[in-house]
């Protein structure tokens, strides 16, 4: 999917804190709120403390959904089932004679921790298996599947004798830490909130890293991300498992807060409620989960109280009100309430100081380029059919290191299709593509990236709301290695500094230094194409494919682009460029291949092509300006 970059103004540009007048930063405000909560905890009523504990528990699940749905674009109605896995795992570990026999060597106070470990392992395993099966499904099938397994797990809890059937399991012990029993909400609540705040911190760190950038591509940029070497299928499963683990931790805490479990809190209704929380709060914002959880928990509480009194009969009226509320909120605030709150508070908050990254560590992985003149990319009899349409008809072509090869032809000739064939985005119907001498039939585009091919897209594929810098940094994905845990714990900073420095270098090289920190969607379309080139260069490619890079550029910008490509050629890159501007092509290319109706009609030097009668004929019928350039 391509993003309609121009259609929509950059939302985040509006949300980003203005250079601003306030006296307190967002971070300081957060810290102050946390300290206030901690200081007032002992003085709050039992009722408030209980309510806040539930808000914390719900927020923990909702923040997993923010990652899954808001950030990574996968909707799940079944999250309550993972909460159930966490709750039932610890209930079983703490109360069943079977578990007692197996865990006899463990001091009794440790049983809940064994329960936590069991819950996490089970939730991860279930999520991994479900994810591997269902995440491949596109469109509406994924949400439908989450409903299906949400229901199945719920009925499993209710029907397993081992788990107490529909009555559930009673007699869970309180958690104890260092000999202190956390038997009441007042005692357990601080642990719940500590876990929540730690999770928020870790997830914030994760999103602000190499791995986070890869996760952000999952929603709308998967084709692009694969072309930059990101294994998006794997990332999707990992986010899914992460959300399940957060649910399981919430379930574990919940079980020890309630001290009993039954299937009711883990049914589909509640799964939908968790999704409400994430979406109403602000599906793409971590703190939106806390806001959504607080709003919905408090509202539910109030409505359950008031509605029956108001209507004079009992029933689950709050569900109806919820439904209506959801409609109104989503109608008016499609991105949830958090962005609005952030925008409003941005007026009186000071901007957080920019993070100081440490000095960049060892430079990023470098590729040794193949010797000049060596064939780096070869297409042999590549044919692509779309039903009856032959978009590419037995196309032969090669690109050598240290040359610029241009692919030209009228609109609809099959140039972009050919690009997809030779970059692994799509598979040829017949024929073979070799990259660095290796046959690539059936390989995904990330394996092309691994061998040193990088590309831009005719219809730009940028994350419009992220900065130019972040977009370009995605290109360097494969050159760095720090994983999720390192990112969450901020152990990736030296490598991150190196990645960002490299991204900035490529942005400056492409002449967009002044725009590095602007949202990509705020740039003109021509400049967005240049961002795509910078992103491709950040991967340090040996082969560079550019699909209409000069479209939408002004004359001087085109000249700058031509100079950049000349420089890259001099460095030894093999470059294949599709371009309609004949002056640009004729001055730059070493060789030209001409496509018409999917078939190669000529190949040669610019001089040969300009003198080729068949090419002239093809172009006279079209709207291009070969004649003028010749
Ligand atoms: P170019 O880039 O040279 O303008 P394209 O490669 O985009 O041409 O398109 C070549 C032909 O293939 C066009 O007729 C186009 O409509 C068709 N085509 C491209 N992609 C698809 C697709 N996914 N399904 C069906 N037809 C397609
Ligand atoms: Mg095209």
């Amino acid at each position: 999917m391509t993003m309609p970059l121009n259609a929509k103004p950059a939302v985040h540009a509006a949300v980003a804190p203005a250079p601003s007048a306030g006296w307190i930063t967002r971070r300081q405000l957060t810290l102050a709120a946390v300290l206030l909560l901690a200081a007032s905890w002992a003085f709050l009523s039992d009722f408030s403390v209980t309510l806040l504990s539930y808000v914390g528990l719900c927020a923990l699940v909702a923040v997993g959904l923010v990652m899954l749905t808001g950030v990574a674009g996968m909707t799940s109605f079944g999250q309550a089932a993972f909460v159930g896995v966490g709750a039932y795992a610890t209930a079983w570990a703490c109360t069943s004679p079977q578990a007692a026999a197996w865990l006899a060597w463990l001091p009794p106070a440790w049983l809940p921790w064994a329960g936590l470990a069991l819950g996490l392992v089970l939730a991860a395993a279930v999520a991994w298996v479900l994810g591997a099966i269902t995440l491949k499904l596109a469109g509406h099938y994924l949400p439908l599947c989450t409903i299906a397994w949400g229901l199945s797990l719920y009925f499993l809890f209710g029907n397993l004798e081992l788990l107490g059937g529909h009555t559930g399991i009673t007699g869970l012990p309180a958690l104890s830490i260092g000999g202190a029993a956390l038997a009441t909400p007042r005692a357990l609540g601080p642990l719940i909130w500590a876990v929540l705040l730690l999770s928020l911190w870790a997830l914030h760190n994760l999103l602000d890293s190499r791995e986070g950038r890869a996760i952000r591509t999952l929603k709308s940029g998967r084709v692009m991300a694969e072309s930059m070497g990101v294994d998006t299928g794997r990332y999707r499963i990992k986010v899914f498992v992460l959300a399940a683990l957060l649910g399981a931790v919430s379930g574990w805490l919940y079980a020890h807060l309630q001290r009993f479990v039954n299937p009711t809190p883990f049914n589909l209704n509640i799964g939908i409620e968790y999704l409400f929380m994430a979406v109403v709060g602000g599906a793409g914002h971590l703190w939106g989960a806390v806001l959504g959880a607080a709003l919905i928990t408090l509202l539910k509480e109030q409505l359950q109280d008031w509605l029956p009194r108001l209507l004079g009969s009992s029933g689950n009226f709050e569900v109806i009100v919820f439904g209506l509320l959801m409609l109104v909120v989503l109608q008016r605030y499609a991105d949830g309430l958090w962005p609005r709150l952030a925008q409003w508070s941005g007026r009186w908050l000071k901007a957080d100081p920019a993070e100081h990254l440490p000095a960049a560590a060892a430079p990023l992985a470098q590729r040794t380029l193949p010797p000049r003149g060596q064939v780096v990319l070869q297409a042999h009899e590549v044919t692509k059919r779309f039903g009856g349409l032959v978009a590419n008809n037995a196309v032969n072509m090669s690109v050598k290191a240290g040359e610029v090869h241009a692919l030209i032809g009228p609109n609809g000739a099959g140039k972009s299709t050919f690009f997809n064939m030779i970059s692994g985005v799509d598979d040829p119907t017949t024929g073979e593509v070799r990259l660095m001498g290796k046959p690539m039939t059936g390989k995904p585009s990330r394996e092309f990236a691994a061998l040193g091919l990088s590309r831009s897209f005719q219809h730009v594929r940028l994350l419009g709301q992220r900065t130019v810098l972040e977009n370009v940094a995605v290109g360097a994905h494969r050159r760095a290695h720090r994983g999720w845990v390192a990112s969450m714990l901020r152990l990736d900073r030296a490598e991150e500094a190196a990645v960002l420095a490299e991204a900035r270098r490529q942005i400056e090289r492409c002449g967009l230094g002044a725009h590095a920190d602007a949202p990509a969607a705020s740039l003109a379309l021509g400049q967005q194409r240049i961002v795509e080139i910078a992103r491709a260069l950040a991967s340090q490619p040996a082969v560079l494919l550019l699909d209409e890079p000069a479209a939408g550029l002004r004359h001087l910008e085109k000249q700058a682009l031509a100079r950049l490509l000349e420089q890259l050629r001099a460095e030894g890159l093999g470059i294949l460029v599709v371009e309609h501007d004949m002056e640009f092509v004729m001055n730059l290319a070493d060789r030209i291949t001409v496509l018409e109706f999917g078939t190669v009609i000529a190949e040669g030097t610019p001089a040969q092509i300009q003198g080729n009668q068949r090419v002239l004929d093809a172009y006279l019928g079209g709207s291009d300006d070969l004649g003028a350039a010749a």
Side-chain angles (χ1 to χ4, degrees), residues 386 389 391 410-417 458:
F386 293 112
L389 179 88
N411 273 328
K415 305 179 295 294
S416 294
T417 303
Q458 180 182 353

Side-chain angles (χ1 to χ4, degrees), residues 384-387 389-392 407-420 426 458-459 547-548 578 580 595 597-598:
K384 180 66 177 180
R385 291 196 188 87
F386 293 112
L389 179 88
V390 185
N392 288 159
L407 182 62
I408 65 172
N411 273 328
K415 305 179 295 294
S416 294
T417 303
F418 185 66
F419 259 40
N420 288 345
D426 204 350
Q458 180 182 353
H459 303 288
D547 200 345
E548 305 202 10
V578 166
H580 283 298
L595 271 187
F597 298 122

